[in-house]
Amino acid sequence: MSNGKPSTVTVPVATLKIAALESCKDLAEKVDAKIAEIRKKRALEHKTSMEFRGYEADSYLIDCKCPRFGSGEAKGRINESVRGTDLFVMVDVGNYSLTYSVCGHENHMSPDDHYQDLKRIISAAMATSHRVNVIMPFLYEGRQHKRTRRESLDCALSLQELTNMGVANIITFDAHDPRVVNSIPLHGFDNYMPPYQFVKAILSNVKDLQIDKEHLMVISPDEGGMGRAVYFANVLGVDMGMFYKRRDYSTIVGGKNPIVEHQFLGTDVAGKDVIIVDDMISSGESMLDVAKQLKERNAARVFICTPFGLFTDGFEKFDEFYEKGYINYVVTTNLTYRNPELLTKPYYLEADMSEFLALIIDTMNHDFSTEHVASPTEKIRNIVTRYYEDRYQTF
């Protein structure tokens, strides 16, 4: 083995198969194509041995569905054999675009519906597959990660339910609070971050960025996301700042305590480009307020980076802030459903995660350490170096 990557003699755990629920078909197809490409390029000395049966394939996706009865009830169905396979089940619990009929009425699928379908496919495969792994980029009930007074602990319960069903590994991205792993301490739980993909998306579209302390700053919109901002700032070699959210804990609006004020802690942002990093855009109210305050402090350009762009209140406010110059770019991943309208916005940039996911699946199928995949520091520094080299060559 070399460079911490699966070598040509590393035997896979079992034949790789991917069960993609309808909620994430598009992403799964891109991931599937990347895995096929990776494996066809890989030199295999033992390609014809039984241990590598099915290793190279045009596709690893299996035919699976969750059809529904007229009452709205459903069942999971796998239409091909998964006996002895290393099965990765992919689901996007945030895909609200899918619908189903209940006694003649159209219902949009909620996270609860997607989670139930996930369990249906797992139960259909568990008896015969060698191992079942779940890829859930947007962690189900991840925002209900701790108890306040008499509340349910939905995220912890769902993780326990999946592992009790026999799921070996759960793969997610930028969990709202990764400490939820404490609910399943004896099982695999991998929480990956997308900073390299954010940097790549920005550098691919913005050709005049100055990456130094005098021209760039990384901002956390709240104290809970400081870890992301600290890493981002350190790897780019720039300063960071943060906002403290002062909330009204005596009131609940839309299921949460409203923000009374954002207080900024950090050095002067005047004349600097700023990158705001957070785990998601829900309504976007908090993120937009932070962007507005930074512009009022004479920041130059504002880049918003978040893995999950939910935009629960639509795009009207973002459009308004873009036209007023409060924001310049919004970068999200393709890990969860995005309204097609978002893709047409002049301020939108996509951070494609398909290759990253393909590498994770390929590496885990070899039962090999994913450290080389999960640690993007060297890749970020290399892409920054190439960015400057390419720019100087144009002069």
Side-chain angles (χ1 to χ4, degrees), residues 9 12 19 65 85 111 123 190 215 219 221 238 243 251 253 257 279 284 292 295 313 343 350 358 360 366 390:
V9 295
K65 290 180 172 57
T85 63
S123 65
D190 292 290
H215 299 91
I219 304 294
V238 301
F243 281 83
T251 307
V253 178
N257 302 111
D279 62 334
K292 183 173 183 290
K295 290 297 288 187
D313 288 355
L343 308 183
E350 177 190 280
I360 291 169
H366 284 265
D390 293 343

Side-chain angles (χ1 to χ4, degrees), residues 240-254:
M240 71 148 287
M242 65 160 283
F243 281 83
Y244 170 70
K245 288 181 181 178
R246 190 161 64 84
R247 294 182 179 271
D248 180 3
Y249 288 98
S250 66
T251 307
I252 296 178
V253 178

Side-chain angles (χ1 to χ4, degrees), residues 284-344:
E285 175 188 355
S286 175
M287 195 78 82
L288 291 173
D289 185 51
V290 165
K292 183 173 183 290
Q293 288 204 39
L294 289 168
K295 290 297 288 187
E296 288 173 350
R297 288 174 166 81
N298 298 315
R301 291 172 293 188
V302 175
F303 302 84
I304 295 174
C305 293
T306 179
F308 306 108
L310 308 183
F311 299 97
T312 57
D313 288 355
F315 306 109
E316 184 178 351
K317 199 71 175 177
F318 282 84
D319 294 343
E320 177 189 339
F321 271 49
Y322 173 71
E323 290 167 5
K324 289 182 177 179
Y326 292 141
I327 61 173
N328 296 86
Y329 291 100
V330 175
V331 187
T332 78
T333 71
N334 55 344
L335 290 172
T336 193
Y337 173 75
R338 295 157 299 156
N339 189 315
E341 185 183 349
L342 174 64
L343 308 183
T344 68

Side-chain angles (χ1 to χ4, degrees), residues 194 197-198 201 331-335 348-354:
Q197 287 75 18
F198 287 154
V331 187
T332 78
T333 71
N334 55 344
L335 290 172
Y348 178 69
L349 300 179
E350 177 190 280
D352 183 13
M353 301 296 290
S354 58

Side-chain angles (χ1 to χ4, degrees), residues 32-315:
D32 178 52
K34 292 286 185 183
I35 295 174
E37 181 182 343
I38 290 169
R39 293 197 165 184
K40 284 177 181 177
K41 288 181 179 178
R42 184 174 290 151
L44 280 174
E45 298 173 12
H46 309 281
K47 192 186 232 180
T48 57
S49 67
M50 285 295 293
E51 290 85 354
F52 286 88
R53 180 183 55 196
Y55 189 78
E56 280 191 22
D58 293 330
S59 176
Y60 301 91
L61 292 169
I62 64 169
D63 182 12
C64 64
K65 290 180 172 57
C66 288
R68 290 185 179 267
F69 300 98
S71 62
E73 298 167 290
K75 62 181 177 181
R77 187 172 66 202
I78 296 177
N79 297 318
E80 59 186 86
S81 174
V82 291
R83 184 174 297 277
T85 63
D86 189 19
L87 186 66
F88 288 79
V89 187
M90 295 180 63
V91 61
D92 175 16
V93 299
N95 190 339
Y96 59 87
S97 70
L98 301 180
T99 62
Y100 63 94
S101 178
V102 181
C103 299
H105 299 280
E106 185 180 56
N107 265 16
H108 281 265
M109 290 188 70
S110 71
D112 292 342
D113 293 317
H114 290 301
Y115 177 64
Q116 291 300 324
D117 280 355
L118 169 66
K119 291 192 296 179
R120 291 177 176 116
I121 294 300
I122 292 171
S123 65
M126 186 59 71
T128 57
S129 58
H130 177 77
R131 184 175 72 172
V132 173
N133 314 275
V134 168
I135 297 178
M136 189 190 299
F138 186 71
L139 187 62
Y140 175 68
E141 290 289 0
R143 299 172 78 179
Q144 187 53 24
H145 57 93
K146 63 182 179 181
R147 173 175 285 155
T148 303
R149 297 181 182 176
R150 292 176 293 278
E151 291 184 345
S152 57
L153 284 170
D154 296 58
C155 189
L157 285 173
S158 68
L159 294 178
Q160 289 181 355
E161 188 174 20
L162 293 177
T163 54
N164 288 339
M165 290 181 72
V167 171
N169 298 290
I170 298 171
I171 298 105
T172 192
F173 286 81
D174 205 345
H176 192 67
D177 189 341
R179 290 174 297 181
V180 75
V181 69
N182 293 333
S183 64
I184 50 168
L186 302 181
H187 295 82
F189 180 89
D190 292 290
N191 180 42
Y192 295 99
M193 309 294 281
Y196 169 71
Q197 287 75 18
F198 287 154
V199 174
K200 183 178 179 181
I202 292 173
L203 297 187
S204 297
N205 291 274
V206 182
K207 300 305 180 183
D208 60 345
L209 205 64
Q210 288 291 114
I211 306 173
D212 56 48
K213 290 183 178 181
E214 288 72 36
H215 299 91
L216 184 65
M217 196 168 177
V218 178
I219 304 294
S220 174
D222 55 44
E223 60 277 17
M226 274 192 64
R228 301 180 192 91
V230 167
Y231 174 80
F232 234 115
N234 284 343
V235 74
L236 293 176
V238 301
D239 288 332
M240 71 148 287
M242 65 160 283
F243 281 83
Y244 170 70
K245 288 181 181 178
R246 190 161 64 84
R247 294 182 179 271
D248 180 3
Y249 288 98
S250 66
T251 307
I252 296 178
V253 178
K256 60 186 179 181
N257 302 111
I259 298 166
V260 176
E261 182 185 11
H262 280 106
Q263 297 177 339
F264 181 65
L265 304 174
T267 57
D268 187 15
V269 300
K272 296 179 181 178
D273 292 327
V274 292
I275 299 175
I276 308 171
V277 290
D278 204 2
D279 62 334
M280 71 174 71
I281 293 173
S282 185
S283 66
E285 175 188 355
S286 175
M287 195 78 82
L288 291 173
D289 185 51
V290 165
K292 183 173 183 290
Q293 288 204 39
L294 289 168
K295 290 297 288 187
E296 288 173 350
R297 288 174 166 81
N298 298 315
R301 291 172 293 188
V302 175
F303 302 84
I304 295 174
C305 293
T306 179
F308 306 108
L310 308 183
F311 299 97
T312 57
D313 288 355
F315 306 109

